[in-house]
Amino acid sequence: MTELAMKGNLGKAILQTSAQFTEPTSAIWEYVINAIEYREKPDGLRVSITMNKNEVVISDNSNGMDHEILKNFFTFSGENLARKNKQASWLKRGINGSGKIAAFGFADELEVDTVKNYRRNAYKLTRKYIENNPQDSQEIPLKNLKLDEKVDEPNGTTIKISNLNSKPDQNKLIRKIEREISHWKSYDIKITVNSVVCEPKQLDIEKTYTFQ
């Protein structure tokens, strides 16, 4: 009897999953929440988002990523290292890690440039790489931009999303972030969008009811 095996199209799976993030605001938030989560504590977090019609750049001063963490970052539906105490996290919220490929919901290129322990690594993944991936392949080669480059810089990660198919709405993104961080307004967290500081907001109450 001929043996059978389950097979899958990795590229197609990535693009189908990223299609959940066609709204740029939701996609960008996935990278912001990663910056918020992956650090020992929230106090002192700084995230800067700059964007225009061509690209979105998200920079943080969180813990950065070494080779092991990067390998997991670029693993589709990879394990959550924080839940195994292999990566710092004060939230431990992620489960499947699908948000890492959210960029392809509204753009064609993703660059990850990260510094950890004075070593910089940077990689690029594009829609073209994904679409050209053989159907039965379980890996998609990345373009290496920097490999273990020695730097005198603090830990942190910069995500660059470019070749946009949909332009992000700055005001909509600010409102989204302000709502999301309202739970953490007691912490020293500062997030800016094109130099505009996002202030934690209480959720609007549309109606109130009194039961007797």
Side-chain angles (χ1 to χ4, degrees):
M1 179 179 177
T2 303
E3 292 186 0
L4 300 179
M6 178 68 74
K7 294 184 178 181
N9 186 322
L10 178 60
K12 186 175 181 179
I14 289 175
L15 294 179
Q16 286 180 338
T17 301
S18 65
Q20 302 174 36
F21 302 99
T22 53
E23 209 298 300
T25 296
S26 298
I28 295 169
W29 171 250
E30 290 296 318
Y31 299 101
V32 175
I33 189 60
N34 279 348
I36 294 173
E37 175 177 3
Y38 292 113
R39 50 190 296 117
E40 283 82 5
K41 58 182 181 179
D43 289 314
L45 170 69
R46 299 294 182 264
V47 180
S48 171
I49 305 168
T50 59
M51 59 186 192
N52 53 46
K53 64 180 181 179
N54 300 314
E55 67 179 24
V56 177
V57 180
I58 307 154
S59 299
D60 69 59
N61 67 342
S62 287
N63 284 14
M65 293 183 279
D66 57 19
H67 284 292
E68 181 180 8
I69 299 173
L70 272 169
K71 182 178 179 181
N72 190 67
F73 180 91
F74 285 109
T75 299
F76 184 63
S77 296
E79 67 177 351
N80 187 303
L81 295 183
R83 293 180 182 275
K84 295 189 174 183
N85 296 316
K86 295 181 179 180
Q87 183 177 11
S89 170
W90 66 281
L91 278 179
K92 291 183 172 60
R93 55 172 284 279
I95 299 177
N96 296 320
S98 58
K100 68 188 70 174
I101 45 87
F104 295 104
F106 75 106
D108 292 336
E109 298 185 357
L110 170 67
E111 289 184 23
V112 179
D113 187 326
T114 186
V115 175
K116 187 173 181 65
N117 299 331
Y118 305 107
R119 296 282 182 169
R120 163 169 274 144
N121 289 280
Y123 292 88
K124 182 176 183 178
L125 177 63
T126 72
R127 184 180 297 274
K128 184 176 181 179
Y129 298 168
I130 297 172
E131 291 178 340
N132 290 344
N133 186 58
Q135 289 192 4
D136 59 350
S137 174
Q138 296 303 305
E139 294 183 344
I140 299 174
L142 305 173
K143 182 177 182 179
N144 177 242
L145 304 176
K146 295 182 178 71
L147 180 62
D148 270 344
E149 179 182 291
K150 292 183 179 180
V151 294
D152 186 18
E153 297 179 21
N155 292 346
T157 298
T158 296
I159 301 289
K160 181 180 177 182
I161 303 168
S162 56
N163 199 359
L164 308 185
N165 299 313
S166 179
K167 182 181 178 181
D169 184 313
Q170 176 176 320
N171 292 330
K172 190 173 182 179
L173 178 60
I174 291 172
R175 290 196 300 270
K176 165 75 171 176
I177 294 172
E178 289 180 337
R179 288 196 306 271
E180 296 288 354
I181 66 175
S182 63
H183 308 290
W184 306 313
K185 63 180 181 179
S186 62
Y187 295 117
D188 176 21
I189 294 174
K190 183 178 180 181
I191 302 174
T192 60
V193 179
N194 286 343
S195 299
V196 177
V197 178
C198 298
E199 302 286 353
K201 301 292 185 182
Q202 291 292 344
L203 297 178
D204 295 333
I205 300 176
E206 296 183 355
K207 294 182 180 180
T208 59
Y209 298 90
T210 300
F211 296 93
Q212 298 179 346

